[in-house]
Amino acid sequence: MEALGGYPVKSSGPQVKRLTVLLTMTVGVGCLFLLQTQFLKPQKPADFYSFEVKDAKGKMVSLEKYRGKASLVVNVASNSEQTETAYMSLQELHKELGTSHFNVLAFPCGQFGDTETGTSSYIEAFAKSTYGVTFPFFAKIKIMGSEVEPAFKFLTDSVQKVPKWNFWKFLVNPDGKVVRFWRTDEPMENIRREVAALVREIIVKKRMEL
């Protein structure tokens, strides 16, 4: 083989072949890596009950145990002007509708002034001893900013609203979807009416499945 000008050059056939093989192997490995990372990539939870959160004692727990029930998720606080009224009305609702089909789920938050300054275990103990609440408490969380609790972010993203104060309430249906939310000053009677209606739907559906 001759180059331009008539000078002979060494054949590059073997080098080209080796380069082709190397390039093919590189592309193949790259494709396998992409497929592997795609399959191993953590799947974003599809609903509220798919999340894991910390309980008041710091232990990771799955919200899956509440699937099939209605849940009223509330960002609570111990030293808010609404604390006493809210805890008493939430406990009454929790007791009235029972835990077979419904639960109040309390998530303390300390991002609204000095309304929640204690540890998670203290917050739970205070609420139980002072107001006699029996509904589940979870670890103190953040619902705004870069350290937002993912489970609570799911709620706020679902309704495109972030709480402006303590005791916002999010109604989650048996499938883990948010169906309603209420601000702090919403009369509990209005909330009770809609929660009770959802609980009745759950009961009727279960009876029909028997």
Side-chain angles (χ1 to χ4, degrees):
M1 179 178 179
E2 294 185 352
L4 293 178
Y7 293 98
V9 296
K10 187 177 181 180
S11 174
S12 59
Q15 290 90 336
V16 172
K17 186 175 181 180
R18 283 196 294 272
L19 182 61
T20 302
V21 172
L22 181 62
L23 187 60
T24 302
M25 291 176 63
T26 302
V27 171
V29 171
C31 290
L32 287 173
F33 176 77
L34 289 174
L35 286 171
Q36 185 180 31
T37 53
Q38 183 65 32
F39 283 118
L40 295 179
K41 183 178 180 181
Q43 297 297 312
K44 183 178 180 181
D47 60 74
F48 181 69
Y49 299 132
S50 298
F51 287 90
E52 289 189 347
V53 298
K54 287 184 178 180
D55 65 14
K57 297 176 179 60
K59 179 183 177 182
M60 291 299 297
V61 295
S62 174
L63 293 174
E64 193 68 33
K65 63 188 293 185
Y66 301 108
R67 186 177 299 281
K69 305 178 183 181
S71 298
L72 191 66
V73 187
V74 189
N75 61 301
V76 302
S78 302
N79 302 304
S80 178
E81 59 185 7
Q82 296 88 11
T83 298
E84 181 175 359
T85 301
Y87 272 152
M88 292 179 68
S89 59
L90 288 171
Q91 173 60 23
E92 184 179 346
L93 185 66
H94 183 77
K95 184 177 179 180
E96 175 189 348
L97 298 179
T99 58
S100 296
H101 311 290
F102 169 75
N103 286 283
V104 171
L105 304 180
F107 284 82
C109 177
Q111 290 185 292
F112 301 110
D114 296 324
T115 56
E116 192 67 282
T117 57
T119 63
S120 300
S121 57
Y122 170 82
I123 294 166
E124 179 185 39
F126 170 78
K128 290 180 180 298
S129 63
T130 307
Y131 302 108
V133 302
T134 58
F135 47 79
F137 269 74
F138 298 92
K140 185 163 68 172
I141 64 168
K142 292 185 178 180
I143 59 179
M144 299 176 290
S146 59
E147 298 180 51
V148 59
E149 165 60 47
F152 212 92
K153 189 175 187 301
F154 174 85
L155 304 178
T156 58
D157 284 351
S158 296
V159 299
Q160 294 296 297
K161 296 287 183 182
V162 177
K164 306 298 183 185
W165 192 245
N166 306 302
F167 296 104
W168 277 43
K169 304 163 188 73
F170 299 82
L171 180 59
V172 179
N173 72 10
D175 299 319
K177 305 299 183 182
V178 184
V179 293
R180 279 296 306 272
F181 81 97
W182 295 275
R183 295 176 174 82
T184 307
D185 56 355
E186 184 73 29
M188 182 54 74
E189 181 55 34
N190 295 346
I191 298 172
R192 191 200 68 79
R193 189 181 304 115
E194 295 205 35
V195 174
L198 179 56
V199 170
R200 283 195 295 272
E201 289 180 14
I202 295 171
I203 294 173
V204 169
K205 182 177 179 181
K206 286 186 176 181
R207 286 176 178 173
M208 291 177 65
E209 292 174 350
L210 293 178

